[in-house]
């Protein structure tokens, strides 16, 4: 279920592209409304979403249908934004990557007793591109894991 804030955000985006104030948007306006709330959904995927609701590319979409389409995507957006905010707090030097010093500082601030080797191991386990640093996407993938020992779904 969507929170009141999420409904407000969706309603605002929907109304922005409901230029005739008909309470409906077409597929082109639907794509623009999705983009306005932070989702760049390709046209074929929008077509699939419309078909799943018994609509087609020429259908008019009501706000309730738009909200239903977006409901499953909104929690993902919130989580990604929250994780990105945490990443930015860790990245105190603003390099866009987390290094050994960033992680050591965070560990000390939150009272974690990690050895230098523990921190290096964390970087090694997280670093997918081999640069010795943790980028935003690497950080996001690790933070999304339910259980730290659980492999990512895109592996294996």
């Amino acid at each position: 279920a969507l929170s009141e804030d999420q409904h407000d955000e969706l309603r605002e985006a929907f109304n922005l592209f409901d230029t005739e104030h008909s309470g409906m948007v077409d597929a082109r306006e639907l794509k623009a409304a999705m983009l306005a709330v932070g989702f760049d959904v390709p046209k074929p995927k929008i077509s699939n979403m419309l078909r799943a609701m018994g609509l087609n590319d020429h259908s008019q979409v009501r706000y309730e249908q738009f909200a239903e389409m977006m409901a499953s995507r909104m929690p993902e957006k919130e989580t990604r934004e929250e994780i990105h905010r945490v990443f930015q707090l860790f990245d105190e030097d603003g390099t866009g990557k987390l290094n050994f010093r960033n992680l050591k500082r965070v560990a000390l601030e939150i009272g974690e007793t990690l050895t230098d080797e523990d921190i290096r191991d964390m970087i090694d386990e997280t670093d997918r591109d081999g640069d010795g640093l943790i980028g935003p996407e690497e950080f996001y993938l690790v933070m999304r894991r339910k259980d730290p020992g659980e492999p990512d779904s895109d592996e294996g």
Side-chain angles (χ1 to χ4, degrees):
L2 294 168
S3 71
E4 194 174 323
D5 285 346
Q6 289 171 324
H7 264 296
D8 290 346
E9 182 181 2
L10 290 177
R11 174 64 75 184
E12 194 175 310
F14 185 88
N15 289 342
L16 188 63
F17 295 98
D18 177 14
T19 52
E20 290 130 29
H21 308 289
S22 63
M24 312 274 266
V25 294
D26 64 26
R28 187 180 47 77
E29 294 164 332
L30 180 66
K31 179 170 175 49
M34 288 179 174
L35 199 54
V37 288
F39 293 98
D40 189 7
V41 182
K43 284 180 188 171
K45 188 151 187 148
I46 290 174
S47 295
N48 291 343
M49 292 167 78
L50 289 167
R51 274 197 300 282
M53 298 187 78
L55 302 170
N56 65 45
D57 291 340
H58 305 291
S59 298
Q60 293 287 308
V61 179
R62 294 186 324 274
Y63 169 74
E64 293 74 23
Q65 293 168 313
F66 173 63
E68 187 179 323
M69 286 180 191
M70 298 308 295
S72 63
R73 289 178 145 61
M74 293 305 280
E76 181 184 308
K77 179 182 181 219
E78 292 299 312
T79 305
R80 189 174 277 276
E81 284 178 2
E82 288 165 11
I83 290 173
H84 188 69
R85 277 196 291 273
V86 171
F87 178 86
Q88 289 175 315
L89 290 173
F90 285 15
D91 180 20
E92 69 177 347
D93 38 17
T95 61
K97 296 270 188 165
L98 302 182
N99 58 31
F100 176 86
R101 194 178 51 75
N102 297 138
L103 296 179
K104 183 146 182 103
R105 177 187 58 83
V106 170
L108 290 169
E109 280 180 13
I110 63 173
E112 275 294 324
T113 49
L114 295 173
T115 66
D116 287 0
E117 187 180 348
D118 289 337
I119 295 171
R120 282 192 195 91
D121 287 346
M122 282 172 48
I123 292 172
D124 290 344
E125 288 170 26
T126 307
D127 179 21
R128 292 170 166 249
D129 58 12
D131 63 358
L133 303 167
I134 299 171
E137 192 60 24
E138 294 164 329
F139 186 74
Y140 173 75
L141 290 170
V142 168
M143 296 301 288
R144 285 297 308 258
R145 288 185 189 165
K146 307 289 184 270
D147 164 10
E150 178 184 302
D152 290 340
S153 58
D154 64 350
E155 292 177 4

